[in-house]
């Protein structure tokens, strides 16, 4: 039976075994009866049973085929539950979440090895979400709340902070899992905002600007921006001067508003694509 097989390290399988923590996550997730819920990586179902009881609709995405098959069997009589046996990084989340006009509540104890990539994907579908309650490695969670000019401040801080109000619910110690991870974890609540925290103009450009600013953490902002794809089409010296930002600074010292300034200028000065 799936629940007795040894956990797979390659899939980040640290299963929750602490009933108190499970209850606290379900409470933090604040599921409404009519709401669709997405659980990423249900594993052995520590959270799933509770979610299946409260959610209007529940979609599970699990990459471990044996566990996915086990969930499908367990839930075969519940038409409100759908199991997707797939790598969440390959699932078209926009297509999945647009199947209903209701906004989704995402709940997950994320596999640590892919948590940052999953965060980027969830950021991409923020407009389809009503809430997220995610457990992350504490270090990754701390990054999301980091202020500028601190080593934890990075691409995830700036991008996720644009569209979500993020609050820390509680810290979870290694003993709450089987097997125990080496580090602490943290449960965070993400509430999508109606409007972004700053006017960044074109979001694709904003993402490119932010990613390039953090691309080489030891280099100056000027050098980082010059290595970006958009720098083939605009003059980065002019960009920095127009925005009043010293190019000798490091990317991690920039506030969200400064990234927004750079992004709007780049978007306004990119040549229109030739027909
Ligand atoms: N939710 C369960 C719990 O709290 O006990 C399991 C959490 S465990 C940390 C992460 C789960 O994500 C595992 O069940 C693992 O098989 C699954 N997983 C790992 N990589 C995945 C991927 N790329 N796509 C979907 N699920 C994945």
């Amino acid at each position: 039976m799936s629940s007795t097989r040894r956990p797979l390290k390659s899939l980040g399988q640290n299963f929750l075994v602490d009933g108190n923590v499970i209850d606290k996550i379900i409470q933090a997730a604040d599921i409404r009866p009519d709401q669709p819920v997405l659980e990423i990586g249900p594993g052995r179902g520590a959270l799933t049973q509770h979610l299946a009881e409260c959610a209007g609709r529940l979609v599970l995405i699990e990459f471990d085929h044996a566990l996915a098959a086990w969930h499908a069997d367990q839930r075969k009589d519940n038409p409100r539950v759908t199991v997707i046996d797939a790598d969440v990084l390959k699932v078209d989340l926009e297509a999945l979440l647009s199947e209903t006009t209701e906004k989704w509540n995402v709940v997950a104890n994320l596999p640590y090895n892919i948590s940052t990539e999953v965060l980027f994907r969830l950021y991409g579908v923020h407009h389809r979400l009503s809430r997220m309650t995610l457990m992350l490695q504490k270090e990754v969670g701390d990054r999301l709340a980091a202020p500028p000019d601190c080593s934890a401040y990075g691409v995830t801080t700036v991008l996720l902070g644009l569209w979500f109000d993020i609050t820390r619910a509680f810290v979870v110690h290694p003993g709450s899992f089987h097997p125990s991870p080496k580090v602490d974890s943290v449960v965070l609540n993400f509430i999508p905002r109606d409007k972004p925290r700053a006017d960044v103009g074109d979001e694709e450009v904003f993402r490119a600007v932010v990613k390039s600013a953090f691309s080489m953490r030891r280099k100056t902002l000027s050098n980082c921006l010059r290595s970006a794809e958009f720098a083939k089409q605009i003059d980065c010296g002019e960009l920095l001067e127009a925005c009043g930002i010293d190019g000798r600074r490091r990317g991690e010292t920039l506030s969200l508003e400064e990234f927004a300034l750079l992004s709007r200028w780049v978007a306004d000065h990119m040549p229109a694509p030739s027909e």
Side-chain angles (χ1 to χ4, degrees), residues 2 46 50 55 71 75 79 82 90 106 111 125 135 137 148 154-155 171 173 176 178 192 216 231 238 261 271:
S2 59
H50 303 264
H71 278 288
R75 318 272 164 218
T82 307
K90 303 231 167 92
V106 180
V125 291
M135 169 126 65
Q137 194 174 329
V155 180
V171 171
H173 299 297
S176 296
H178 170 72
M216 297 176 283
E238 213 184 309
L261 258 180

Side-chain angles (χ1 to χ4, degrees), residues 197-214:
R197 200 177 296 279
D199 173 13
V200 301
D202 182 316
E203 275 204 50
E204 214 175 299
V205 172
F206 174 67
R207 277 197 295 275
V209 168
V210 174
K211 285 189 175 167
S212 71
F214 286 103

Side-chain angles (χ1 to χ4, degrees), residues 15-259:
F15 298 116
L16 264 173
V17 290
D18 182 333
N20 187 32
V21 171
I22 293 167
D23 288 348
K24 280 167 72 180
I25 294 176
I26 297 297
Q27 268 173 31
D30 192 24
I31 311 287
R32 310 280 156 81
D34 51 343
Q35 214 174 31
V37 175
L38 168 65
E39 186 186 4
I40 300 169
R44 292 178 178 172
L47 303 168
T48 318
Q49 183 56 35
H50 303 264
L51 298 175
E53 279 162 17
C54 357
R57 179 173 175 207
L58 176 63
V59 172
L60 310 173
I61 303 178
E62 174 56 66
F63 197 23
D64 180 322
H65 307 308
L67 286 176
W70 179 71
H71 278 288
D73 185 53
Q74 292 285 303
R75 318 272 164 218
K76 61 177 183 292
D77 297 325
N78 188 343
R80 292 181 295 113
V81 182
T82 307
V83 181
I84 301 177
D85 176 353
D87 176 353
V88 66
L89 300 178
K90 303 231 167 92
V91 172
D92 182 343
L93 289 181
E94 177 62 31
L96 174 68
L97 304 185
S98 63
E99 279 174 15
T100 149
T101 51
E102 303 286 329
K103 295 202 171 183
W104 291 71
N105 193 331
V106 180
V107 182
N109 167 13
L110 288 177
Y112 294 156
N113 47 342
I114 58 163
S115 58
T116 302
E117 281 169 84
V118 175
L119 283 173
F120 284 137
R121 278 167 190 267
L122 292 169
Y123 155 80
V125 291
H126 61 81
H127 52 288
R128 301 266 173 217
L129 308 177
S130 60
R131 185 187 184 89
M132 302 200 285
T133 300
L134 306 179
M135 169 126 65
L136 300 163
Q137 194 174 329
K138 189 170 164 296
E139 191 196 320
V140 177
D142 286 347
R143 260 185 238 150
L144 295 169
D149 211 4
C150 113
S151 62
Y153 184 69
V155 180
T156 47
T157 328
V158 180
L159 295 189
L160 275 289
L162 180 68
W163 275 109
F164 292 94
D165 289 328
I166 305 170
T167 52
R168 178 200 272 215
F170 54 94
V171 171
V172 183
H173 299 297
S176 296
F177 303 87
H178 170 72
S180 298
K182 292 201 171 64
V183 292
D184 280 342
S185 305
V186 65
V187 175
L188 299 173
N189 282 318
F190 297 69
I191 309 291
R193 300 169 59 87
D194 292 336
K195 285 191 187 151
R197 200 177 296 279
D199 173 13
V200 301
D202 182 316
E203 275 204 50
E204 214 175 299
V205 172
F206 174 67
R207 277 197 295 275
V209 168
V210 174
K211 285 189 175 167
S212 71
F214 286 103
S215 59
M216 297 176 283
R217 289 189 82 118
R218 296 224 173 86
K219 302 252 167 140
T220 62
L221 176 63
S222 176
N223 278 332
C224 289
L225 294 176
R226 284 199 170 96
S227 66
E229 200 54 35
F230 59 76
K232 293 182 184 150
Q233 292 172 292
I234 58 140
D235 180 334
C236 287
E238 213 184 309
L239 159 68
L240 288 162
E241 199 182 324
C243 296
I245 297 173
D246 186 339
R248 291 169 298 181
R249 286 170 62 185
R250 311 266 170 205
E252 66 259 32
T253 67
L254 266 62
S255 65
L256 177 57
E257 287 67 29
E258 287 175 312
F259 279 118

